[in-house]
Amino acid sequence: MKLLRKSIEKDNAGQVTLMPEEPEDMWHAYNLLRPGDSLRASTIRKVQTESATGSVGSNRVRTTLTLCVETIDFDSQACQLRVKGTNIQENEYVKMGAYHTIELEPNRQFTLAKKQWDSVVLERIEQACDPAWSADVAAVVMQEGLAHVCLVTPSMTLTRAKVEVNIPRKRRGSCAQHDRALERFYDQVAQAIQRHINFEVVKCVLVASPGFVREQFCDYMFQQAVKTDNKLLLENRSKFLQVHSSSGHKYALKEALCDPAVANRLSDTKAAGEVKALDDFYKMLQHEPDRAFYGLKHVEKANEAMAIDTLLISDELFRHQDVATRSRYVKLVDSVKENMGTVRIFSSLHVSGEQLGQLTGVAAILRFPVAELSDEEDESSSEED
């Protein structure tokens, strides 16, 4: 998704112009649109025309309409998004107040205006437009003296750093120069990894090379990490996966990604993080039920006690028709972030999102047990009886 223009005032009213570039962007657009928003986009309208002789014909014309959104229909299989609403701007083909359905298309820009842009929607735009957010796979393709540090997104590969170091050949009786140059090369690659890879987002780092270069590099990097007590690398050691490639050039990354073992490891890596969070919640619910809450009222009370460590929430809740209910979920997300908690927004199209939906769509893993909440609920319900 490309952000072409953004104009949001201090009172959070304003508009953005976006261009979807791939099918996944339609899912992002579906999560941005709400009934009552204003949508301006190019569309096709069937128009009736009357000739001088009085005969009536119809033809299809492309025009740009501005609709007040009423219903939004998303086809998850075809990744098609249809938006129905009434025309709110003068047009030579469509009367004011007339109904029309716009089908948003890839590579055709649209402008979305809202009276209130909340933090969840703005973050969704940031994630959809920033390739680094969707890049949950990183790769280092290397050979002696040459390395490329890349981020792999569903649609493209971004080269974040290229490291080149001249490495002298080994000479008979003396390998010191070669070894020193190799260490310098490994150091620069390790620094590039730490500088350009966001380990909070990236779930897997492929290290690909011909021969034994990848093994030697990983051994050297983690030995140095132990010596310097580099926690960033040591804590994420399990994310590094060594694979074969024919060279250190960027094109060799394709060979590494086509490896069946790698494909299994990388399948749906962002979703795998959601599955683990939900699994942690179920384990907590089983072993320490006072530290696992679900249902909006329970989670809100836990948040008042500043007890939430991880909030699990379905993106379906932010599409709620009632504005007050929707803003209640947004406030909960903002509050948890302010209290240094982690927020995981689950996709309702994924299996883990469907499971969370069965738990009311909102759940929380707590920092400490909060048994009093369930007692308070019991007392209030007995008083009502």
Side-chain angles (χ1 to χ4, degrees), residues 210-385:
F212 298 102
V213 177
R214 56 188 180 275
E215 287 98 333
Q216 291 166 359
F217 166 68
C218 287
D219 289 346
Y220 176 82
M221 180 171 66
F222 290 115
Q223 281 171 13
Q224 292 300 312
V226 170
K227 282 181 189 174
T228 58
D229 194 24
N230 188 326
K231 288 180 181 171
L232 180 71
L233 289 176
L234 294 174
E235 285 172 5
N236 292 286
R237 187 169 188 164
S238 60
K239 293 182 180 178
F240 285 79
L241 179 66
Q242 295 179 26
V243 290
H244 173 78
S245 71
S246 59
S247 75
H249 294 279
K250 187 180 165 183
Y251 67 81
L253 180 60
K254 191 181 176 187
E255 305 161 18
L257 293 171
C258 290
D259 188 317
V262 174
N264 289 340
R265 171 81 184 262
L266 301 186
S267 63
D268 222 357
T269 42
K270 199 173 277 293
E274 293 176 359
V275 171
K276 186 184 180 303
L278 196 62
D279 190 42
D280 289 346
F281 173 78
Y282 280 126
K283 282 178 185 170
M284 194 66 81
L285 193 63
Q286 192 176 357
H287 300 297
E288 288 186 73
D290 288 342
R291 284 184 60 198
F293 279 43
Y294 63 91
L296 184 57
K297 282 186 182 175
H298 280 244
V299 172
E300 279 182 330
K301 287 193 176 179
N303 184 47
E304 284 168 21
M306 295 173 70
I308 296 178
D309 182 46
T310 307
L311 176 71
L312 287 61
I313 189 163
S314 170
D315 60 10
E316 202 167 17
L317 301 177
F318 301 114
R319 297 195 294 273
H320 202 284
Q321 297 293 326
D322 182 41
V323 177
T325 308
R326 201 162 65 225
S327 61
R328 197 171 160 189
Y329 290 119
V330 172
K331 279 178 187 170
L332 176 64
V333 167
D334 290 344
S335 179
V336 170
K337 286 181 180 175
E338 281 170 21
N339 295 331
M340 306 305 286
T342 304
V343 176
R344 281 194 171 274
I345 298 177
F346 283 60
S347 169
S348 55
L349 281 185
H350 197 265
V351 181
S352 57
E354 287 174 13
Q355 283 183 312
L356 185 61
Q358 291 165 6
L359 289 169
T360 73
V362 60
I365 300 169
L366 308 189
R367 295 187 175 106
F368 47 83
V370 188
E372 301 79 38
L373 294 186
S374 48
D375 296 342
E376 283 172 23
E377 290 282 324
D378 295 341
E379 282 168 23
S380 61
S381 60
S382 60
E383 282 169 19
E384 283 167 17
D385 296 340

Side-chain angles (χ1 to χ4, degrees), residues 75-86:
D75 181 351
S76 58
Q77 297 304 311
C79 276
Q80 288 180 333
L81 183 59
R82 295 179 192 87
V83 184
K84 183 183 176 185
T86 51

Side-chain angles (χ1 to χ4, degrees), residues 170-188:
K170 289 182 181 178
R171 298 194 179 178
R172 213 178 269 178
S174 173
C175 298
Q177 273 187 313
H178 173 271
D179 292 347
R180 274 200 301 273
L182 206 55
E183 282 185 14
R184 193 166 71 249
F185 170 61
Y186 290 161
D187 277 331
Q188 287 182 24

